[in-house]
Amino acid sequence: MKILLLFLLLAASFAACSKGQTAKEATCKEGFIIWGQPLAADGIEWYFAESLEPGAKPYKFDNLPAEFQQDGLPVSICFYETNDTYACFCAVPLPVYHITSIQKKSQ
């Protein structure tokens, strides 16, 4: 009985460890690419937001292609959060995201 319990405990711990090493799941959203001013001027440069309204949550990317760097550009985008943060003059450092796919939407 003790061996069975030990085996089950071992199997459960291996299963828990392997779950943490799965690929990161992408989130897909629709919104806009926005120019948030240069970092030197206390801005956050290019970012994505679901709305053009002030106060919309900014998403900072580590791989936004140059062809999408157009202020107010409507896009459909899929991305996942990385372990990095963007060091800006923000109240809280922004998490950095990695784009898995991006498409321009018709205006």
Side-chain angles (χ1 to χ4, degrees):
M1 184 68 172
K2 288 181 182 179
I3 292 178
L4 180 61
L5 184 59
L6 180 62
F7 176 74
L8 289 174
L9 217 56
L10 227 54
S13 65
F14 282 125
C17 289
S18 66
K19 283 184 182 177
Q21 296 177 1
T22 59
K24 295 184 178 185
E25 193 171 318
T27 300
C28 297
K29 296 182 180 274
E30 293 188 357
F32 303 89
I33 301 299
I34 301 170
W35 173 243
Q37 302 305 316
L39 184 60
D42 297 340
I44 61 171
E45 300 179 338
W46 293 106
Y47 68 95
F48 168 83
E50 293 180 79
S51 167
L52 291 173
E53 298 297 319
K57 178 181 177 181
Y59 293 85
K60 185 69 180 158
F61 296 108
D62 62 0
N63 64 332
L64 181 65
E67 67 188 84
F68 290 92
Q69 295 177 5
Q70 301 171 34
D71 194 29
L73 180 70
V75 295
S76 293
I77 191 167
C78 296
F79 55 89
Y80 64 86
E81 187 172 348
T82 68
N83 293 328
D84 297 330
T85 56
Y86 184 70
C88 59
F89 296 101
C90 311
V92 177
L94 296 174
V96 174
Y97 298 88
H98 187 82
I99 298 170
T100 57
S101 69
I102 185 170
Q103 294 180 342
K104 293 179 184 178
K105 288 178 49 183
S106 61
Q107 298 180 3

